[in-house]
């Protein structure tokens, strides 16, 4: 289950992002962007974050996940498109030289702190 490793990294990054001058911070919401090809099981990640964030400012934070579609660009004709299939040939010129623009990312888009 690689979600545990991902959760550990997310907690580390989130905690490092909280300014030191905030006394007793509490994260209310953790907003993530996760690509469709990142192979992350949302329920498993949520469970792992719950376990790892215990006794930290992230404990009890709401997890909001924005699913990022797989977007590709053709290197020949520069056509860009979204896909849900593993066939990565350009629908415009049928060339197979494509670059993935998005779909594999795992990012923290924002952290919302509670106003206590």
């Amino acid at each position: 289950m690689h979600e545990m490793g991902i959760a550990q990294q997310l907690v580390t990054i989130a905690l490092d992002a909280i300014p030191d001058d905030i006394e007793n911070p509490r994260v209310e919401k953790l907003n993530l962007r996760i690509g469709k090809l990142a192979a992350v099981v949302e329920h498993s990640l949520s469970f792992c974050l719950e376990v790892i964030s215990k006794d930290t400012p992230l404990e009890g934070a709401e997890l909001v996940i924005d699913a990022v579609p797989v977007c590709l660009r053709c290197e020949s004709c520069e056509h860009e498109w979204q896909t849900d299939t593993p066939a990565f040939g350009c629908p415009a010129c049928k060339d197979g030289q494509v670059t993935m623009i998005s779909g594999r990312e795992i990012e923290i888009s924002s952290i919302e702190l509670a106003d206590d």
Side-chain angles (χ1 to χ4, degrees):
M1 177 189 331
H2 75 281
E3 284 83 1
M4 187 62 79
I6 292 168
Q8 289 173 324
Q9 288 296 310
L10 290 171
V11 168
T12 298
I13 293 166
L15 291 175
D16 288 346
I18 299 171
D20 293 332
D21 62 340
I22 297 178
E23 197 171 313
N24 298 320
R26 186 175 60 82
V27 175
E28 202 165 81
K29 197 180 286 189
L30 184 62
N31 298 300
L32 306 177
R33 295 181 72 243
I34 299 180
K36 295 273 188 181
L37 290 182
V40 173
V41 177
E42 188 174 325
H43 177 74
S44 294
L45 180 61
S46 180
F47 172 76
C48 292
L49 276 169
E50 184 180 322
V51 170
I52 291 172
S53 66
K54 187 162 176 54
D55 299 324
T56 74
L58 277 91
E59 183 174 8
E62 177 185 356
L63 181 63
V64 178
I65 297 176
D66 178 25
V68 180
V70 178
C71 294
L72 304 167
R73 180 191 308 96
C74 177
E75 294 301 318
S76 297
C77 71
E78 297 191 9
H79 176 69
E80 293 184 6
W81 72 100
Q82 289 184 14
T83 186
D84 289 328
T85 66
F88 291 164
C90 177
C93 74
K94 308 300 183 223
D95 189 22
Q97 287 287 92
V98 299
T99 300
M100 187 175 301
I101 300 169
S102 68
R104 289 186 285 194
E105 54 271 90
I106 300 172
E107 306 170 343
I108 296 175
S109 54
S110 65
I111 300 167
E112 298 178 31
L113 298 177
D115 292 330
D116 290 341

